[in-house]
Amino acid sequence: MPVHRFAEMTWEEVRDAPGPGSVAILPVGAVEAHGPHLPLGTDVIIAEGMARACATRLSDEGRHAFILPPIWYTAAPFARNFPGTVAVDAATVRDLVLQIASSLKEQAIETLAVANAHLDPTHLGSLHDAARAAHPGQRVVFVDLTRRPVAERLTDEFRTGACHAGRYEGSIVRAEAAHLFRSEIAADLEPNKNSLSTAIREGQSTFEEAGGDRAYFGSPAEATAEEGRETVETLGALLAEAVLETGAPA
């Protein structure tokens, strides 16, 4: 089956394409600070790579896969004190995801897979709420990358929790949008081993409180495109597996 980019199709092409087992994939990220070396749109760059890899895998399984335009704005309280961060409240994101799912259901696309790359706990809560609140006959599939069984399949840095704008995210940007990676700046950044996951468990609520006064955690100078390409494939596999495990009809 081909992979469809929804926004590039005509309405008649959309009308004629859906069949049993069709899946729409929604990239979701935040516009927020990602250190002095990565763009504000890093999360969406990652999410779009994840969506593409997922769509390819679903297509190989005989599913019609539609990659939707991304959601760029969401809750981002950890980065709220940094210029460039543009946030909305979690309820807005939950409602938007549900309304997108409902609109697609009317067009015979019953499964909405959320390709999410933004790990702020408030945002993750909105996606969990959307998945639970999906109406009968529609599915909102979401993989929480912070859950241990999922995280174990990702990189060493990711598992430490010191991974915002570090090697993990920087590698994906180098693979997906190399021209946006400020390599000279990244090369001069010292590793920041403070763990965001630990900070969250301890009740901290901003990057500064967690020890990231320049909005990065991990080792930006170690980012490589090769690791980024491998990680994108893993992210796509995780989401595709979640879709197939829902039991949606093929």
Side-chain angles (χ1 to χ4, degrees):
M1 294 288 183
V3 171
H4 306 282
R5 289 196 170 273
F6 206 79
E8 297 174 5
M9 301 174 74
T10 69
W11 73 268
E12 292 183 342
E13 290 168 343
V14 172
R15 177 197 63 194
D16 297 339
S22 294
V23 179
I25 306 169
L26 177 64
V28 178
V31 176
E32 68 169 1
H34 278 80
H37 60 295
L38 292 182
L40 297 169
T42 288
D43 286 346
V44 172
I45 292 170
I46 297 169
E48 289 189 311
M50 181 182 187
R52 185 189 66 251
C54 174
T56 299
R57 287 176 178 266
L58 292 175
S59 177
D60 290 344
E61 294 289 332
R63 305 295 184 102
H64 280 287
F66 300 87
I67 300 176
L68 299 175
I71 292 177
W72 284 85
Y73 303 107
T74 185
F78 262 79
R80 63 181 177 266
N81 296 326
F82 289 85
T85 298
V86 181
V88 298
D89 64 67
T92 298
V93 179
R94 178 203 62 210
D95 292 347
L96 179 58
V97 170
L98 287 172
Q99 289 178 40
I100 290 170
S102 294
S103 182
L104 292 166
K105 174 67 167 57
E106 294 173 358
Q107 303 174 54
I109 304 173
E110 297 182 351
T111 301
L112 177 66
V114 179
N116 175 62
H118 181 49
L119 305 182
D120 190 295
T122 302
H123 166 75
L124 291 175
S126 70
L127 296 184
H128 280 294
D129 288 347
R132 286 190 292 264
H135 298 303
Q138 63 185 205
R139 301 169 188 84
V140 175
V141 181
F142 157 58
V143 177
D144 186 342
L145 301 180
T146 68
R147 297 293 171 87
R148 185 178 296 276
V150 178
E152 287 298 322
R153 292 176 59 180
L154 295 170
T155 68
D156 291 341
E157 184 186 83
F158 186 91
R159 290 194 293 273
T160 70
C163 60
H164 178 83
R167 175 173 176 165
Y168 168 79
E169 290 192 327
S171 291
I172 300 175
V173 172
R174 294 200 84 157
E176 295 287 314
H179 63 291
L180 297 178
F181 184 88
R182 281 71 166 174
S183 56
E184 292 184 2
I185 296 174
D188 289 336
L189 294 176
E190 294 294 327
N192 179 0
K193 299 302 184 181
N194 290 305
S195 170
L196 275 173
S197 56
T198 299
I200 291 166
R201 288 195 297 270
E202 293 177 350
Q204 296 160 5
S205 61
T206 67
F207 287 154
E208 298 97 325
E209 290 177 359
D213 59 359
R214 299 190 74 189
Y216 79 88
F217 298 80
S219 302
E222 297 178 7
T224 68
E226 180 180 7
E227 180 178 302
R229 287 188 287 269
E230 293 173 357
T231 302
V232 165
E233 290 304 314
T234 301
L235 291 170
L238 286 164
L239 186 56
E241 290 165 12
V243 169
L244 296 173
E245 288 168 3
T246 65

